[in-house]
C-alpha cells in the first residue's frame, strides 16, 4: 500500500520537454526519459535523492513524500473546477529558488512552487500565458 499525499495547495509552473508542442521546441526527455510537452505530465521535486539535493523543498519548509517516475497526481487550478491527472516524468521545480513566492486568483492563494507541468497539462487547467497558477495536488 502506498502513502497517500493529502491534498496540498502550492504554486505550479510549466516547462518544455520531449518533442515540439505548442510553444515548445524539441528538448530533452527529462529525468525519467519519458517526458513530452504534448502529454499530461509533471516534474516533482522529490523523485530521488539526487533530485531532492537539487530542488530542496525542505528549505522552504515543505516535507514532500518521495514519488518516482510514472506516479500519478491529481491536480486542480484553485480558481477552476476541472481536475486532471498527471504522471511524473521529470525532476523539478527547483523549489528553493522561490521560497515564499505566492500566487493568487479570485482570492485563493498558494505558496511555494512544488510542481511543474508540461504545456499540455498546464493548458488543460489554466492559461499558459499566466506562467504560474495556484493549484491543489493530491495523490
Amino acid at each position: 500500500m502506498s502513502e497517500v499525499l493529502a491534498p496540498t495547495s502550492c504554486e505550479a509552473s510549466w516547462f518544455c520537454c520531449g518533442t515540439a508542442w505548442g510553444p515548445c521546441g524539441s528538448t530533452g526527455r527529462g529525468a525519467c526519459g519519458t517526458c513530452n510537452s504534448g502529454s499530461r505530465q509533471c516534474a516533482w521535486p522529490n523523485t530521488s535523492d539526487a533530485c531532492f539535493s537539487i530542488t530542496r523543498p525542505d528549505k522552504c519548509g515543505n516535507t514532500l513524500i518521495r514519488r518516482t517516475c510514472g506516479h500519478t497526481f491529481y491536480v486542480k487550478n484553485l480558481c477552476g473546477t476541472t481536475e486532471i491527472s498527471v504522471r511524473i516524468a521529470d525532476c523539478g521545480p527547483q523549489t528553493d529558488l522561490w521560497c515564499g513566492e505566492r500566487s493568487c486568483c479570485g482570492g485563493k492563494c498558494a505558496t511555494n512552487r512544488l510542481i511543474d507541468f508540461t504545456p499540455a497539462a498546464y493548458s488543460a487547467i489554466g492559461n499558459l500565458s499566466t506562467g504560474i497558477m495556484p493549484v491543489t495536488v493530491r495523490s
Side-chain angles (χ1 to χ4, degrees), residues 28 39 42 49 55 57 87 93 96 137:
S39 297
C42 68
D49 288 340
T55 61
R87 291 183 158 263
D96 66 335
V137 180

Side-chain angles (χ1 to χ4, degrees), residues 7-139:
T8 188
S9 294
C10 64
E11 287 186 312
S13 52
W14 61 273
F15 70 105
C16 296
C17 63
T19 56
W21 189 90
C24 299
S26 293
T27 60
R29 302 283 288 172
C32 301
T34 59
C35 198
N36 188 332
S37 293
S39 297
R40 290 186 179 179
Q41 296 175 316
C42 68
W44 183 246
N46 192 10
T47 59
S48 66
D49 288 340
C51 177
F52 188 84
S53 71
I54 295 167
T55 61
R56 297 304 305 266
D58 59 315
K59 287 187 174 183
C60 299
N62 298 110
T63 304
L64 301 178
I65 293 172
R66 170 80 36 97
R67 295 292 188 221
T68 57
C69 295
H71 178 80
T72 300
F73 287 115
Y74 300 91
V75 295
K76 185 174 90 166
N77 183 332
L78 286 179
C79 291
T81 57
T82 302
E83 182 177 77
I84 63 167
S85 63
V86 293
R87 291 183 158 263
I88 295 175
D90 203 356
C91 166
Q94 191 169 345
T95 302
D96 66 335
L97 295 179
W98 300 288
C99 289
E101 181 182 68
R102 179 178 158 117
S103 63
C104 303
C105 61
K108 297 176 183 176
C109 300
T111 305
N112 296 337
R113 272 187 228 183
L114 298 182
I115 195 165
D116 275 343
F117 300 120
T118 57
Y122 194 99
S123 63
I125 58 172
N127 187 324
L128 289 175
S129 67
T130 62
I132 299 170
M133 71 175 137
V135 298
T136 298
V137 180
R138 68 181 179 85
S139 196

